[in-house]
Amino acid sequence: MDSRAESSRVSRGRASGPPVSPGPWTGSFRFWFATRRWEWSPEVYKMHGYAPGEVEPTTDLLLAHKHPGDREQVAEIISRSIAHGEPFSSRHRFIDTHGQEHQVMVVADRILDEDGRPVGTAGFYIDLSGTLADAGQYALDTQLPGLMDARATIEQAKGVLMHMYQVNSEQAFQLLRWRSQETGVELRALAEQLLAELSSVPPPAEALARFDHLLLTLHERIPTDPTLPIAAEGSDVEQ
């Protein structure tokens, strides 16, 4: 099915009923380079306004949902991912089936085969609009009082995320909180590890993809014994 047909399907969906209540603010995906096959978690379906499994996620469908001002940029990123085995990392807008605009950040890493060759990309959609702001405020109100001792470290880590992803302070805090919940690792430990490994991020041309990998794997390198030194990732980051 071509992109014009998918755009027509999306447009028909927008007129099908009133907007649903705010959906999830994060969901996961996989994209396989050889087959061009997308896999969406139930949350990503819901973000786009679909019931899980209601449609088959395809590149045409994905692009049909993108904001017209961002569609070409996203298409280029997908093409580059396929051609060079790069992660699908982006910040862009999409329109769900109810006509609601979402500003999202896609944080991804590469899927490697047994020989270390990239065969796909996997990661998360993070909704930076509406529901994220509400969740971020809740996190600040309920969690920060108990984190005062760790405030300086967490504030530094937030500053890094704000710079790398061009998000505000509350959104940066929510990104850290998300990784903490996903990995079961304390927020302060993730912040400390992020700062310890920051020097491994290369110059801007490759920085975002490498930073995505670093963020998604921080929990794997935090020492179990807090008295042990924190090791930087260094050469273990995928090239």
Side-chain angles (χ1 to χ4, degrees):
M1 181 178 293
D2 63 26
S3 58
R4 287 177 296 179
E6 293 289 9
S7 295
S8 176
R9 181 211 295 243
V10 171
S11 297
R12 288 197 302 272
R14 291 177 191 161
S16 62
V20 294
S21 58
W25 68 271
T26 182
S28 60
F29 74 93
R30 289 183 180 181
F31 177 57
W32 301 95
F33 298 145
T35 60
R36 311 293 198 266
R37 180 167 60 90
W38 292 91
E39 298 175 6
W40 284 356
S41 71
E43 294 79 12
V44 175
Y45 275 103
K46 292 175 183 177
M47 282 183 187
H48 286 81
Y50 298 109
E54 179 182 348
V55 296
E56 179 183 355
T58 64
T59 298
D60 285 341
L61 179 67
L62 187 108
L63 293 176
H65 275 282
K66 300 311 175 192
H67 187 283
D70 296 339
R71 188 171 295 141
E72 183 177 350
Q73 165 205 335
V74 174
E76 291 176 355
I77 292 172
I78 294 173
S79 296
R80 193 164 60 244
S81 292
I82 295 170
H84 303 293
E86 296 179 358
F88 174 52
S89 299
S90 173
R91 179 172 175 177
H92 59 266
R93 296 161 292 173
F94 72 80
I95 312 298
D96 66 25
T97 60
H98 303 284
Q100 300 297 310
E101 180 179 310
H102 298 253
Q103 183 183 83
V104 296
M105 182 168 67
V106 181
V107 179
D109 205 353
R110 300 186 300 175
I111 302 172
L112 305 178
D113 66 13
E114 294 179 354
D115 297 320
R117 293 179 300 227
V119 294
T121 179
F124 299 87
Y125 273 73
I126 303 166
D127 196 334
L128 299 177
S129 49
T131 56
L132 175 59
D134 294 341
Q137 187 59 55
Y138 171 80
L140 289 170
D141 291 342
T142 60
Q143 292 196 7
L144 273 184
L147 296 171
M148 291 303 293
D149 291 341
R151 183 171 182 176
T153 299
I154 291 172
E155 287 298 318
Q156 289 181 60
K158 281 169 54 180
V160 171
L161 294 171
M162 290 167 67
H163 174 73
M164 290 298 300
Y165 293 127
Q166 297 300 295
V167 295
N168 64 34
S169 177
E170 291 183 7
Q171 292 168 342
F173 182 83
Q174 187 66 4
L175 287 175
L176 285 172
R177 181 172 176 263
W178 159 60
R179 294 309 300 155
S180 177
Q181 291 176 335
E182 284 281 327
T183 62
V185 174
E186 289 186 358
L187 197 64
R188 180 178 184 174
L190 285 174
E192 289 175 342
Q193 192 71 21
L194 174 61
L195 296 176
E197 296 192 29
L198 191 57
S199 61
S200 69
V201 178
E206 301 177 8
L208 190 57
R210 291 281 294 276
F211 192 85
D212 283 352
H213 175 82
L214 185 154
L215 179 66
L216 293 174
T217 59
L218 282 177
H219 62 287
E220 299 174 358
R221 295 179 300 281
I222 294 175
T224 54
D225 183 346
T227 63
L228 295 177
I230 297 176
E233 183 182 31
S235 59
D236 290 339
V237 177
E238 294 298 335
Q239 296 294 329

